[in-house]
C-alpha cells in the first residue's frame, strides 16, 4: 500500500510539537517538524489575577504546524492530544469566552476545599471513580462559579484543550469532547461513562454546557482544506498507553513519564474499592473501552521547576543532560521527599519547597544542583516503588515488567534507579509514545488499521525499546531506604 501521512499534535505543559507519522502498512515512522513553548500560565496573569493559557498563540502555532506538514506532502489526517482537565467555554456564536485557566492556578485549591465541605470523598469516589485532586475540572468550574459566574451563564459548550483545537482546525464546526480526556474531569460516571449531572446538581454547579462525548479513534470533522480531523486518545497518557509495545504473556504495568508521572495498569473495567480510593488511584478512560487504573505522581515537573529555581539563584541555565550528570555524581544517601504530596504542585520556588520538606523531616538539605536533582529523581524512584506495590496488591497481581513510556523514558539514570527500586525489569520506550499513540488513533479512525488491537501490533513493530534489569544489591539498599524514609515521613 502507498504510505499515508498523519500529523500528530502533542501538547505538554512545557512545550507543544508537531510530529508527522508516516504509515507504510506495517510500521509508523515519526519525524518532528516543529516545536513551541506552551507556557504554564504562570506568567500569563489576566486582570483578574488568574493564570491562563495563551490559547490564541497556541492555536496559531498548531495551525502553522498544519500548514507546514501540508506543504511537505499530502496529509491523510490531523489530531491533537494534551494534558487533561483544562478547558474553555464557547458562547452561542462559538466564540471562546475567555482564555482557558491553567490547572495550577491557586484559586482551585479553595474551590476544592469548598466542594469537599459539602460532599464526602467517599461519595465523590463512588460517583466518579476519580481522586479529588484540586485541579480537576469539577473544582475549576466551582472556582469559576465564584469568580466569574457570568462566563458560566453565557457558556453553551465546554471543550477540553484538544477539543478546542479540533474546533479551531475545523473552522469552529467540531463541538464534541473525546472520552479519554473527559474522564479526567471528575464529572463522569465510572465505567459506564456519561456526564454525572446528578453530582453537579447536588453541588449546585451548572451542566448545560456539557455536550456529546465521542470515543477515541473518531472523526470529528475536516479542515477548511479538506483534511480529516480525528480525535485520538486526546488525553496524552491515553495515547501513550495505547502505544505501549506490550508482548504477549507479559505481566505488565505502565509508567507514563513526563511532566507528570502516571503509574498504573490497563484494565477491562474500573476498580472502585475503598482501598483503591485510599491508596490514591483513579479510573480514567483508555482506548477500546479500557480503563487506565493509575496514580498521579509529580513527575519530572520537580526537575523542570528546580531547573528554573537554579537559573534564578546561580544565573546558569543548566541543560537536562547536565543536571542528570550532576545528579549521578552526587552522594547516594541524600534526602527523599514524598513525590505525591500536593505541596509540590505549584510552589513559588521548587528548590526552596524541597529544602523545606527535607528540613521538616530532619534530613540533610540538598545544597547544590547535583544533590537537588538527585533528590528529585530518587524520590520519584521511591514513589514508583511504593505505587507499583500498591497497584499489585489492589489487583492481586505481580508485575515482572514496567513499561516506561514518554519523554522521561530517555532518562537512563532514572530508568535504572526505577528498576532497582521496584525490583522489576524496566522496558523504556518509545520516548515518542504519545505522538505514536496519537497517530495510531488516527489510523483506527481512518480505517488504515482494523482496530486498536491491530494498532498495538503496529506499535510493537515501530517502537525502539531498551531494557534495564534490577541489581539485587541495589534492591536491598532501596528496601532499607524505604524503611528509613517511611519513619521520617510519619513524624
Amino acid at each position: 500500500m502507498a504510505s499515508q501521512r498523519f500529523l500528530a499534535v502533542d501538547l505538554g505543559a512545557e512545550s507543544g510539537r508537531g510530529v508527522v507519522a508516516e504509515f507504510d502498512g506495517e510500521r509508523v515512522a515519526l519525524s518532528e517538524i516543529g516545536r513551541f513553548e506552551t507556557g504554564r500560565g504562570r506568567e500569563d496573569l489576566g486582570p483578574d489575577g488568574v493564570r491562563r493559557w495563551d490559547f490564541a498563540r497556541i492555536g496559531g502555532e498548531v495551525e502553522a504546524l498544519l500548514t507546514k506538514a501540508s506543504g511537505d506532502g499530502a496529509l491523510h489526517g490531523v489530531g491533537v492530544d494534551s494534558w487533561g482537565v483544562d478547558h474553555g467555554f464557547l458562547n452561542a456564536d462559538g466564540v471562546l469566552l475567555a482564555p482557558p485557566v491553567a490547572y495550577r492556578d491557586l484559586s482551585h485549591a479553595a474551590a476544592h476545599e469548598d466542594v469537599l465541605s459539602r460532599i464526602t470523598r467517599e461519595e465523590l469516589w463512588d460517583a466518579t471513580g476519580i481522586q479529588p485532586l484540586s485541579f480537576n475540572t469539577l473544582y475549576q468550574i466551582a472556582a469559576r462559579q465564584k469568580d466569574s459566574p457570568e462566563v458560566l451563564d453565557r457558556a453553551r459548550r465546554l471543550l477540553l484543550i484538544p477539543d478546542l483545537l479540533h474546533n479551531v482546525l475545523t473552522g469552529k464546526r467540531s463541538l464534541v469532547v473525546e472520552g479519554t480526556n473527559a474522564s479526567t474531569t471528575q464529572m463522569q460516571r465510572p465505567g459506564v461513562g456519561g456526564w454525572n449531572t446528578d453530582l453537579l446538581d447536588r453541588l449546585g454547579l451548572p451542566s448545560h454546557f456539557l455536550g456529546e462525548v465521542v470515543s477515541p479513534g473518531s472523526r470529528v470533522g475536516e479542515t477548511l482544506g479538506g483534511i480529516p480531523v480525528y480525535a485520538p486518545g486526546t488525553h496524552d497518557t491515553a495515547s501513550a498507553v495505547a502505544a505501549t509495545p506490550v508482548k504477549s504473556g507479559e505481566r505488565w504495568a505502565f509508567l507514563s513519564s513526563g511532566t507528570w508521572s502516571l503509574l498504573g495498569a490497563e484494565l477491562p473495567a474500573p476498580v472502585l474499592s475503598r482501598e483503591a480510593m485510599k491508596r490514591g488511584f483513579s479510573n480514567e478512560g483508555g482506548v477500546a473501552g479500557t480503563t487506565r487504573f493509575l496514580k498521579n505522581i509529580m513527575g519530572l515537573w520537580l526537575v523542570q521547576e528546580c531547573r528554573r529555581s537554579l537559573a534564578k539563584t546561580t544565573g546558569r541555565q543548566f541543560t537536562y543532560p547536565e543536571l542528570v550528570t550532576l545528579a549521578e555524581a552526587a552522594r547516594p544517601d541524600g534526602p527523599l521527599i514524598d513525590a505525591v504530596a500536593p505541596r509540590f504542585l505549584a510552589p513559588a520556588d521548587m528548590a526552596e519547597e524541597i529544602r523545606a520538606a527535607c528540613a521538616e523531616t530532619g534530613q540533610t538539605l540538598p545544597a547544590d544542583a547535583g544533590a537537588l536533582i538527585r533528590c528529585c529523581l530518587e524520590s520519584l524512584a521511591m514513589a514508583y516503588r511504593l505505587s507499583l506495590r500498591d497497584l499489585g496488591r489492589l489487583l492481586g497481581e505481580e508485575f515482572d515488567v514496567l513499561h516506561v513510556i514518554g519523554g522521561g523514558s530517555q532518562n537512563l539514570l532514572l530508568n535504572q534507579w526505577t528498576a532497582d527500586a521496584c525490583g522489576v525489569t524496566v522496558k523504556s520506550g518509545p520516548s515518542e509514545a504519545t505522538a505514536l499513540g496519537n497517530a495510531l488513533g488516527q489510523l483506527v479512525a481512518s480505517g488504515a488499521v482494523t482496530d486498536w488491537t491491530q494498532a498495538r501490533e503496529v506499535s510493537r513493530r515501530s517502537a525502539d525499546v531498551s531494557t534495564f534489569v534490577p541489581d539485587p544489591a541495589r534492591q536491598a539498599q532501596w528496601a532499607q531506604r524505604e524503611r528509613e524514609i517511611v519513619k521520617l515521613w510519619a513524624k
Side-chain angles (χ1 to χ4, degrees):
M1 64 174 290
S3 293
Q4 299 182 58
R5 296 174 70 249
F6 299 85
L7 174 61
V9 178
D10 173 31
L11 301 182
E14 192 171 42
S15 65
R17 67 242 175 80
V19 178
V20 169
E22 188 160 348
F23 179 54
D24 65 4
E26 292 289 324
R27 296 176 177 81
V28 170
L30 302 176
S31 57
E32 184 176 306
I33 62 167
R35 182 180 289 262
F36 61 92
E37 290 187 359
T38 51
R40 292 178 305 282
R42 179 179 293 276
E43 289 81 22
D44 299 329
L45 294 178
D48 54 1
V50 175
R51 296 174 182 169
R52 299 181 183 274
W53 301 102
D54 186 352
F55 186 77
R57 180 179 60 81
I58 292 172
E61 295 279 8
V62 171
E63 290 183 301
L65 289 172
L66 178 63
T67 299
K68 179 175 175 55
S70 301
D72 293 336
L75 272 185
H76 294 82
V78 57
V80 182
D81 68 76
S82 83
W83 63 94
V85 306
D86 285 350
H87 56 279
F89 295 103
L90 303 181
N91 67 13
D93 297 321
V95 176
L96 186 64
L97 288 169
V101 176
Y103 63 89
R104 295 186 194 271
D105 185 75
L106 300 180
S107 65
H108 303 149
H112 175 253
E113 292 181 7
D114 180 60
V115 168
L116 290 179
S117 72
R118 292 184 280 147
I119 188 171
T120 67
R121 291 175 179 267
E122 290 77 10
E123 289 173 306
L124 275 172
W125 172 259
D126 292 342
T128 65
I130 300 290
Q131 290 295 321
L133 303 176
S134 63
F135 48 73
N136 291 349
T137 314
L138 177 68
Y139 312 107
Q140 293 199 37
I141 289 177
R144 301 293 81 75
Q145 187 180 50
K146 181 176 181 180
D147 62 35
S148 50
E150 70 285 353
V151 171
L152 299 187
D153 290 343
R154 295 170 58 199
R156 290 299 175 267
R157 187 58 52 90
L158 175 149
L159 296 180
L160 295 159
I161 296 295
D163 309 311
L164 282 172
L165 289 165
H166 291 154
N167 178 265
V168 169
L169 291 173
T170 58
K172 300 184 178 181
R173 289 175 291 180
S174 176
L175 295 172
V176 298
V177 174
E178 186 278 319
T180 64
N181 220 353
S183 72
T184 70
T185 63
Q186 203 171 14
M187 300 193 302
Q188 288 208 307
R189 303 178 191 277
V192 297
W195 299 114
N196 194 334
T197 55
D198 291 341
L199 171 64
L200 296 172
D201 289 345
R202 176 177 175 180
L203 295 172
L205 298 175
S207 60
H208 62 272
F209 39 67
L210 300 177
E212 180 186 358
V213 178
V214 300
S215 299
S218 296
R219 177 170 173 149
V220 297
E222 62 181 37
T223 69
L224 297 179
I227 299 169
V229 178
Y230 297 120
T234 60
H235 190 272
D236 48 13
T237 307
S239 275
V241 172
T244 305
V246 182
K247 291 184 177 179
S248 177
E250 281 186 346
R251 297 182 300 176
W252 65 285
F254 65 81
L255 171 59
S256 178
S257 180
T259 299
W260 284 93
S261 288
L262 300 107
L263 188 148
E266 185 179 68
L267 304 177
V271 178
L272 299 172
S273 66
R274 284 286 189 269
E275 190 62 23
M277 181 196 75
K278 292 176 182 177
R279 295 292 177 180
F281 283 79
S282 282
N283 296 276
E284 297 180 358
V287 304
T290 58
T291 292
R292 292 175 290 125
F293 182 61
L294 54 80
K295 185 168 185 175
N296 284 269
I297 300 166
M298 286 298 162
L300 292 171
W301 163 255
L302 297 172
V303 175
Q304 292 166 6
E305 286 297 281
C306 281
R307 180 171 175 255
R308 280 166 49 89
S309 298
L310 290 166
K312 288 188 293 184
T313 57
T314 69
R316 179 178 173 186
Q317 190 68 50
F318 290 94
T319 67
Y320 288 120
E322 285 174 337
L323 291 175
V324 171
T325 298
L326 291 171
E328 187 172 16
R331 288 185 56 174
D333 56 350
L336 297 175
I337 59 170
D338 181 1
V340 182
R343 68 187 297 170
F344 302 113
L345 178 65
D349 186 293
M350 182 66 77
E352 288 306 310
E353 192 69 27
I354 288 173
R355 293 187 183 104
C358 293
E360 291 165 16
T361 50
Q363 300 182 79
T364 303
L365 274 59
D368 58 21
L372 186 64
I373 301 304
R374 183 155 191 145
C375 175
C376 293
L377 296 180
E378 289 194 326
S379 296
L380 288 175
M382 180 61 76
Y384 302 156
R385 172 186 172 90
L386 300 175
S387 298
L388 185 65
R389 186 170 61 209
D390 283 346
L391 179 66
R393 289 173 176 173
L394 289 168
L395 300 181
E397 295 185 17
E398 291 185 3
F399 302 103
D400 45 33
V401 177
L402 179 62
H403 281 273
V404 181
I405 49 181
S409 69
Q410 299 176 89
N411 190 320
L412 307 186
L413 181 63
L414 180 56
N415 289 340
Q416 186 60 59
W417 286 350
T418 299
D420 296 336
C422 295
V424 299
T425 297
V426 165
K427 291 187 178 180
S428 69
S431 61
E432 300 289 353
T434 301
L436 178 57
N438 181 320
L440 296 177
Q442 296 188 60
L443 294 184
V444 171
S446 67
V449 298
T450 304
D451 53 26
W452 285 101
T453 299
Q454 187 179 0
R456 184 160 270 163
E457 293 174 0
V458 172
S459 177
R460 283 195 291 270
R461 292 191 291 265
S462 306
D464 292 325
V465 176
S466 299
T467 300
F468 298 81
V469 179
D471 180 294
R474 289 197 288 264
Q475 283 181 253
Q477 293 170 2
W478 277 100
Q480 178 60 33
R481 294 196 77 186
E482 179 189 342
R483 289 190 288 270
E484 294 170 353
I485 197 62
V486 167
K487 290 178 182 178
L488 292 177
W489 288 348
K491 290 182 179 180

